[in-house]
């Protein structure tokens, strides 16, 4: 868990919590199948991280744009994975063996 946290910008940790609760809402929704929830969370994470990266970046060259896109995608995927990891820890902790 600590190694995963090294890759997430501290400002974006809240996104993992938001995605966790969004995933719970999607799970209860009738209009989306469970198998599509992880990809939905991933795409949502990328969009939210993209908004944050865009609002904090300074674009002087094309390389800056590509760096922002890369950061948005990687951070979005990592926070979505973190939210799924949190969900699994809670789910497994509730099981009796």
């Amino acid at each position: 868990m600590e190694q995963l946290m090294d890759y997430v910008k501290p400002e974006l940790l809240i996104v993992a919590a938001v995605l966790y609760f969004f995933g719970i809402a999607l799970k209860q929704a009738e209009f989306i199948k469970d198998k599509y929830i992880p990809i939905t969370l991933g795409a949502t994470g990328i969009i939210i991280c993209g908004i944050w990266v865009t609002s904090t970046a300074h674009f002087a060259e094309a390389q800056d744009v590509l760096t922002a896109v890369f950061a948005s995608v990687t951070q979005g995927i990592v926070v979505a994975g973190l939210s799924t990891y949190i969900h699994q820890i809670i789910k497994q902790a509730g099981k009796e063996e």
Side-chain angles (χ1 to χ4, degrees):
M1 176 80 168
E2 291 178 27
Q3 292 174 345
L4 183 61
M5 299 301 282
D6 290 341
Y7 294 104
V8 179
K9 293 184 181 288
E11 300 88 356
L12 296 175
L13 285 175
I14 190 68
V15 178
V18 169
L19 292 175
Y20 171 75
F21 290 111
F22 183 51
I24 290 172
L26 289 175
K27 181 85 170 156
Q28 295 174 353
E30 300 277 331
F31 63 90
I32 188 164
K33 293 181 180 181
D34 288 352
K35 69 179 184 177
Y36 296 120
I37 292 175
I39 194 75
T40 303
L41 293 178
T44 304
I46 291 169
I47 291 168
I48 293 172
C49 291
I51 292 168
W52 181 82
V53 168
T54 303
S55 69
T56 59
H58 301 284
F59 299 107
E61 309 177 349
Q63 182 178 3
D64 298 332
V65 174
L66 295 175
T67 301
V69 170
F70 177 78
S72 300
V73 171
T74 56
Q75 290 294 296
I77 291 170
V78 170
V79 296
L82 185 58
S83 73
T84 304
Y85 181 66
I86 292 167
H87 173 73
Q88 287 300 311
I89 288 174
I90 293 169
K91 185 177 174 180
Q92 296 301 323
K95 287 185 175 181
E96 292 184 27
E97 295 203 30

